[in-house]
Amino acid sequence: MPIEVYLNFNGNTRDAVEFYAEVFETETPQIMTFGEAPQNPDYPLPEESKNLVMHARLDLNGSRVMFSDTFPGRPFVEGNNINLSFQSNNVEEIQAVYNKLKEGGQVGMELQETFWSKCYGSLTDKFGIHWMFNHDNGEEI
């Protein structure tokens, strides 16, 4: 089975999911909030947490990515140990996605030819997610 990526956010998951759905031109995301889940009367959910995203899922270029806000009451830590790799054999597609994701983000490496790829680059998007872009010509390195 493939490894699926699950990304947690600090109260802005809905914005992130809608942004990624637009960038990758996917279906309208199905979003479930904490308020829609069955409630435990012993642990009432604070009213301000009911609209936070409990679960959302997108198919991004053939990979399933899942999203959630941090569970109410738990600390949020933005990590730098997650990179999502966008691979395509279409340079124009790589450039289009790269340009959309870099809006409001920070470029690590502009798209360029490297010894392993005719189009590689990296950035951190406006939500703090680290991305790598790589032209996939079908050859393994």
Side-chain angles (χ1 to χ4, degrees), residues 49-61:
S49 298
K50 290 185 178 180
N51 287 325
L52 292 175
V53 175
M54 184 174 127
H55 179 76
R57 183 180 73 215
L58 291 174
D59 179 16
L60 303 181
N61 204 36

Side-chain angles (χ1 to χ4, degrees), residues 62-131:
S63 296
R64 184 183 302 185
V65 179
M66 295 175 284
F67 304 82
S68 177
D69 281 310
T70 302
F71 189 78
R74 295 249 170 118
F76 172 80
V77 178
E78 184 178 308
N80 61 4
N81 61 335
I82 297 172
N83 284 279
L84 299 180
S85 181
F86 182 80
Q87 309 231 22
S88 175
N89 61 6
N90 182 323
V91 172
E92 291 77 37
E93 179 182 34
I94 292 170
Q95 291 168 334
V97 172
Y98 178 90
N99 288 331
K100 290 177 185 176
L101 286 174
K102 80 176 185 179
E103 290 181 27
Q106 182 176 6
V107 172
M109 182 176 175
E110 290 288 348
L111 290 175
Q112 59 192 272
E113 188 169 345
T114 65
F115 70 90
W116 71 87
S117 174
K118 71 179 192 179
C119 185
Y120 176 83
S122 64
L123 60 80
T124 301
D125 70 24
K126 66 183 179 181
F127 294 104
I129 302 302
H130 306 281
W131 293 87

